[in-house]
Amino acid sequence: RDVFLDVAWRGSPPRSSQRAFSFRSFVRSFGMGSGLLVAGLYNGQVVSCSLKGTERNVFQGCHRDEVIAVDVRENFVATGSGDPGYYHRRGGDHSLRLWNLAGELLKDLQGHEGSVRAVKLVLKESSDRPLPGDRLVSASDDEKCLVWDLSSGTVLLQLALDCSGMAMDWLPTWPGQDKPTELALVSERDIYSLNPQLETAKLKLVKLAACTQSQRRDGCLGRLCAVASTLRPFSDGAPQLQLCA
C-alpha cells in the first residue's frame, strides 16, 4: 500500500529528498509525470499525489477490476485494468481509460478481451483535449497490441503478439534525437520495437530479441519493469539486449 521515492530536484545546488506515499488499497501500478505520482489500486481507483506538495486527488469513477497499467504524459493519464497475474483468473474489466490531470474521465475505451497490462500515450503536442494524431498504445493478455486514435476513441490498428503483452517503455534516444520515438514492447517470450508515430500503413512490430525456454519458464521477460534500461544502442545502431530477472 506504499510507494517510496528518492526525489532529486534540479537547482543550485541540486538536492534530493525521500517521499513516502500511502494508500488505502494495494498499489498495483503507478506512473509519474507533470509533477504527479499517479497510482492504480487494487480496488479499481486511480489516485494522484503531488510530488512537491501534499495535494491528493481520487479520480472520478473506478475501473471494475484492479488497475494494473498507468501512464502519465503532458495533461493526460491513461490506465488499464484486469488481473495482475497473481490469481490466474480472467479479468473482470478489460478497459482502458483516459483522464485529465484533474481526474475527470475523458474516454472509456473497449477493445481488448484480456487484462490490459501496458499502456503508453503518444501525443503530438500539449493540449487539454486529445487532438487528431494523438495515440494510445496498449498491450494485453489477449495477445494483441492495439494502436488507438485518442481524438475519436477508435482502434487504428491491431497487431498480433506471440503471447501476452506484459510491459512497454520508450527506448533510449539515438544521437541527434530530441525525444524518444521507438517503444519497446515486452511479451512473455519476446521483445519488440514499435514506432507509434508512423502513419497507420507503416506501423509494424519489429522483433528485437527472444528468450530461451529456461528464461520463459523463469518468467524473466515478464518481470521486466523498466524496459528502456534493458536496451542500449551499439555505435552501429544495432540494439544490445541485457536480460535481468
Side-chain angles (χ1 to χ4, degrees):
R1 300 185 182 214
D2 301 310
V3 177
F4 298 93
L5 296 178
D6 286 320
V7 183
W9 304 106
R10 295 179 181 176
S12 182
R15 60 187 178 90
S16 62
S17 61
Q18 289 187 334
R19 293 286 307 274
F21 303 88
S22 297
F23 302 90
R24 295 183 178 180
S25 184
F26 295 110
V27 178
R28 289 304 191 218
S29 56
F30 70 90
M32 291 186 294
S34 303
L36 298 174
L37 179 145
V38 181
L41 305 183
Y42 171 83
N43 63 5
Q45 286 186 329
V46 181
V47 180
S48 67
C49 303
S50 171
L51 291 174
K52 293 185 177 181
T54 58
E55 297 85 358
R56 177 176 295 229
N57 182 36
V58 179
F59 284 21
Q60 298 174 7
C62 291
H63 280 279
R64 297 181 301 279
D65 207 335
E66 305 176 42
V67 183
I68 57 176
V70 174
D71 188 41
V72 185
R73 195 168 180 86
E74 298 289 348
N75 297 318
F76 302 109
V77 176
T79 57
S81 184
D83 170 34
Y86 310 136
Y87 315 119
H88 305 289
R89 62 171 173 81
R90 180 176 174 80
D93 181 6
H94 308 143
S95 68
L96 296 99
R97 293 190 177 186
L98 181 72
W99 322 74
N100 61 22
L101 296 184
E104 298 171 333
L105 181 62
L106 303 178
K107 303 270 184 188
D108 187 349
L109 306 175
Q110 307 287 337
H112 281 294
E113 298 172 353
S115 300
V116 181
R117 297 192 175 277
V119 294
K120 277 295 169 186
L121 288 160
V122 185
L123 307 176
K124 289 205 165 205
E125 59 185 82
S126 181
S127 174
D128 293 334
R129 288 281 171 177
L131 300 175
D134 288 345
R135 294 177 175 178
L136 174 65
V137 184
S138 59
S140 167
D141 277 352
D142 61 9
E143 303 182 4
K144 297 174 187 175
C145 171
L146 300 184
V147 182
W148 304 76
D149 176 77
L150 276 184
S151 61
S152 65
T154 58
V155 176
L156 290 174
L157 190 65
Q158 175 180 301
L159 300 167
L161 302 174
D162 61 331
C163 53
S164 298
M166 302 299 292
M168 271 189 291
D169 210 337
W170 293 102
L171 289 171
T173 56
W174 304 93
Q177 275 187 322
D178 294 330
K179 59 183 180 179
T181 59
E182 295 275 342
L183 282 172
L185 191 159
V186 177
S187 75
E188 287 183 320
R189 297 178 182 173
D190 302 306
I191 294 182
Y192 303 88
S193 70
L194 170 69
N195 185 337
Q197 301 177 74
L198 293 175
E199 58 185 86
T200 306
K202 296 182 179 180
L203 284 173
K204 64 178 181 178
L205 290 170
V206 178
K207 187 179 290 189
L208 297 179
C211 62
T212 66
Q213 289 292 336
S214 62
Q215 288 168 339
R216 293 179 192 177
R217 184 179 64 248
D218 295 339
C220 179
L221 292 182
R223 294 199 302 271
L224 288 176
C225 295
V227 179
S229 67
T230 70
L231 292 163
R232 294 288 181 261
F234 284 134
S235 58
D236 63 359
Q240 175 187 10
L241 177 65
Q242 301 171 344
L243 292 181
C244 52

